[in-house]
Amino acid sequence: MSLHFVDKLPVFGYREVDGLDLAFAWIWRQASLRVTFVEAEPSLIGRVTHLDGIPRLVAAPDNLDWLHQDDPARTLAVLDFATDLWRRKDSIIRTCDG
């Protein structure tokens, strides 16, 4: 697997949610992932923090409408995938070509 970068952060994975591709990038030395749209603007969705405990999505103000705070399905999809990536981070790092 080749490692890709978004804004100088290593991307751990990609996921499609409701027709849009999202990138999950590790924020160096933190238990959090930065979540962005791959091809939509504004790109920043937010950060999933506290991945070593109880994960939380800190949403960017520009994409609150997309997250539909009244219907948590998209937020849960983001949190679930980020949590899964974080659990597999050692394996992801080990299998990267650089």
Side-chain angles (χ1 to χ4, degrees):
M1 175 175 111
S2 293
L3 191 60
H4 296 96
F5 291 83
V6 172
D7 296 331
K8 299 181 182 180
L9 300 174
V11 175
F12 275 9
Y14 296 93
R15 170 102 192 259
E16 185 269 326
V17 176
D18 286 342
L20 293 171
D21 292 324
L22 310 181
F24 292 75
W26 178 36
I27 300 172
W28 299 102
R29 298 182 190 96
Q30 295 181 31
S32 62
L33 298 174
R34 184 172 178 254
V35 186
T36 58
F37 289 116
V38 173
E39 295 181 0
E41 290 294 328
S43 65
L44 181 63
I45 296 170
R47 294 177 293 123
V48 178
T49 64
H50 299 88
L51 284 162
D52 287 338
I54 299 172
R56 297 181 190 112
L57 176 61
V58 179
D62 292 336
N63 287 309
L64 288 174
D65 289 342
W66 182 82
L67 285 170
H68 290 298
Q69 294 296 327
D70 55 327
D71 178 11
R74 289 180 180 164
T75 299
L76 290 174
V78 169
L79 284 170
D80 288 344
F81 191 66
T83 302
D84 179 58
L85 285 173
W86 191 253
R87 287 183 185 136
R88 296 183 299 120
K89 72 180 177 306
D90 293 334
S91 170
I92 291 169
I93 293 168
R94 260 194 315 270
T95 60
C96 284
D97 293 332

